[in-house]
Amino acid sequence: MMPQKQAEEAIVSRSSSTLKDELEQDVDGKGEDEETAHGFSMKNLLWHGGSAWDAWFSCASNQVAQVLLTLPYSFSQLGMLSGVILQLFYGFMGSWTAYLISVLYIEYRTRKEKENVSFKNHVIQWFEVLDGLLGPYWKAAGLAFNCTFLLFGSVIQLIACASNIYYINDRLDKRTWTYIFGACCATTVFIPSFHNYRIWSFLGLGMTTYTAWYLTIAAVVHGQVEGVTHSGPTKLVLYFTGATNILYTFGGHAVTVEIMHAMWKPQTFKNIYLLATVYVFTLTLPSAAAVYWAFGDQLLTHSNAFSLLPKSGWRDSAVILMLIHQFITFGFACTPLYFVWEKVIGMHDTKSICLRALARLPVVIPIWFLAVIFPFFGPINSAVGALLVSFTVYIVPAMAHMLTYRTPSARQNAAEKPPFFLPSWTAMYAVNAFVVGWVLVVGFGLGGWASMTNFVRQVDTFGLFAKCYQCPKPQPPPAPAPQMQQHHH
């Protein structure tokens, strides 16, 4: 056993030491020696990100994009207590499945290293991990769920861009803004891989941090609106729609494998997603609770929190920062799709950034088109959460982990042993089985029913290709408040 264990450790160690050189080749098409890569230069500072900190920024930045603006809407559907509990519950559940994905990546990578497989100019993706560990059927399932989820994740970013900019400039309708931002987001084709998101993920997290605390402080300063009511939860459809939006919030780890592959030492990833989630709680819990406290049931008809807060320089700054961040998140969601498309057409190992950018453009077109067809900001989050996130980042990783280590020899030779807080394989199986059962029944089953019912209602109310979804000026349900009447004149 001991020689075998030492061999395993040597393989993993060798894997991490060569990974950085391989990634330098991914980006520039040429290897850089260790001294140059660690040396200070502006290019390294802004462009070459492969540290644990880079991964932490990427994970945290990727989790809290436009969902910050829809969580108060979810709280109005769930009520305050359920909103807080479900955020904590799904946050830790999401961290667990991200950990499982990282374990399976290391397992796949270790096995391939034994076979002397090189990953120069090749980014490992989740469907390849599933293929290597469990075979072609799992590869097909991983590819279908991941690609569809990331496709709609990108669509949501475009819808959110148009929804947000409208609160600064309403001279153009939201559909026109969607066309404009679609063109802007298409420029992400020039960013080669997650290795090159260092400055973007850092800025992105700063932007969401500002926005979250702006929402919190602005809601508290504004105070409760006259006659505010907090009646949620009132209907099962609304309750499970809100719950599924929170499931979606903490299901941002569909790009975990790509972020890990961009690290110099991917073994250090294990706890990074959990630490990122803990930071995200400091943004999502205060902002959603404060906005719901201030506006209550008005949020049921306003899925974007910006629509209820008074216009000010602070709000405009938050809107602009969120717009830039949504561009970054669009890139996060689209980059794995770019990789898949490159592999399909045989362009993945092309060294020219311009050629690869040109090859990636066909990926952006359908995303642009879908954002124009379905401009429903809040409801589409819940629908994607129930039908896609539930499988992509909760059920499939948990089942894949159980099946990969189902035999005694697989468990004995595992590259990563169970974590210190759950030291037995039986306990891991129990947790994984609970995740699969819970998400299948509550997330996919009840959540799918509720979110699709809500989604169809939006289509019936506004129609497909809606020119300006939820554009009328907000009015309180009971009676127009005096300041709102003045706002109309």
Side-chain angles (χ1 to χ4, degrees), residues 228-476:
V228 67
T229 52
H230 300 86
S231 56
T234 53
K235 296 178 182 173
L236 280 178
V237 170
L238 293 179
Y239 187 86
F240 286 108
T241 303
T244 312
N245 189 37
I246 293 179
L247 176 90
Y248 171 83
T249 303
F250 295 98
H253 44 288
V255 294
T256 299
V257 170
E258 289 84 357
I259 290 173
M260 280 188 77
H261 192 82
M263 293 178 71
W264 298 321
K265 293 182 178 177
Q267 302 93 305
T268 60
F269 183 87
K270 283 179 287 189
N271 302 317
I272 285 172
Y273 197 89
L274 176 62
L275 296 172
T277 301
V278 170
Y279 180 77
V280 166
F281 284 148
T282 69
L283 305 181
T284 57
L285 288 168
S287 60
V291 176
Y292 178 52
W293 169 81
F295 297 100
D297 291 348
Q298 284 189 28
L299 284 157
L300 288 168
T301 52
H302 296 86
S303 51
N304 189 328
F306 281 145
S307 63
L308 288 172
L309 289 163
K311 191 173 173 63
S312 68
W314 296 104
R315 192 188 79 163
D316 289 352
S317 299
V319 171
I320 292 163
L321 290 177
M322 282 305 283
L323 285 172
I324 301 169
H325 185 262
Q326 277 149 359
F327 162 80
I328 298 165
T329 312
F330 182 92
F332 271 127
C334 251
T335 299
L337 294 175
Y338 296 151
F339 293 154
V340 172
W341 178 246
E342 286 169 1
K343 289 168 185 174
V344 167
I345 63 172
M347 293 283 283
H348 188 58
D349 56 355
T350 303
K351 293 176 182 178
S352 165
I353 288 177
C354 290
L355 266 178
R356 286 177 73 183
L358 200 62
R360 290 170 168 191
L361 275 175
V363 177
V364 181
I365 307 301
I367 292 168
W368 207 350
F369 187 62
L370 286 167
V372 174
I373 301 178
F374 302 112
F376 314 125
F377 186 52
I380 200 172
N381 280 13
S382 300
V384 169
L387 305 179
L388 298 171
V389 175
S390 55
F391 282 95
T392 306
V393 293
Y394 294 99
I395 294 172
V396 170
M399 288 185 69
H401 189 275
M402 288 193 284
L403 289 172
T404 299
Y405 298 110
R406 66 188 179 279
T407 62
S409 62
R411 293 193 291 274
Q412 192 175 11
N413 299 320
E416 291 282 341
K417 301 301 179 189
F420 70 91
F421 58 86
L422 210 65
S424 81
W425 287 101
T426 308
M428 287 197 77
Y429 264 69
V431 173
N432 288 341
F434 170 77
V435 170
V436 172
W438 177 277
V439 177
L440 199 60
V441 174
V442 178
F444 176 71
L446 295 169
W449 159 73
S451 58
M452 287 314 294
T453 303
N454 192 27
F455 189 78
V456 169
R457 191 178 299 145
Q458 300 296 327
V459 175
D460 290 342
T461 307
F462 292 95
L464 299 177
F465 296 97
K467 192 168 184 179
C468 214
Y469 173 66
Q470 286 189 347
C471 283
K473 302 294 182 192
Q475 282 191 334

Side-chain angles (χ1 to χ4, degrees), residues 68 205-221 279-288 290-291 309 314 318 322:
L68 260 183
L205 192 58
M207 291 163 187
T208 46
T209 301
Y210 171 89
T211 304
W213 286 107
Y214 156 73
L215 290 173
T216 307
I217 295 164
V220 171
V221 170
Y279 180 77
V280 166
F281 284 148
T282 69
L283 305 181
T284 57
L285 288 168
S287 60
V291 176
L309 289 163
W314 296 104
M322 282 305 283

Side-chain angles (χ1 to χ4, degrees), residues 99-174:
Y99 165 75
L100 298 179
I101 292 170
S102 72
V103 166
L104 293 172
Y105 169 86
I106 295 294
E107 183 68 39
Y108 170 77
R109 179 98 197 201
T110 305
R111 290 184 189 182
K112 289 297 177 186
E113 288 284 344
K114 285 180 185 175
E115 299 166 14
N116 293 319
V117 174
S118 171
F119 293 105
K120 289 184 177 180
N121 293 326
H122 184 94
V123 177
I124 298 173
Q125 293 188 268
W126 177 229
F127 70 89
E128 291 167 319
V129 172
L130 290 173
D131 185 30
L133 297 177
L134 296 170
Y137 291 112
W138 279 86
K139 173 186 177 179
L143 198 55
F145 281 121
N146 241 38
C147 288
T148 314
F149 166 46
L150 292 168
L151 178 78
F152 278 99
S154 306
V155 169
I156 288 166
Q157 299 312 317
L158 281 189
I159 296 169
C161 283
S163 178
N164 290 348
I165 191 66
Y166 185 79
Y167 297 117
I168 290 182
N169 183 340
D170 58 6
R171 287 191 293 277
L172 296 176
D173 59 74
K174 290 182 183 178

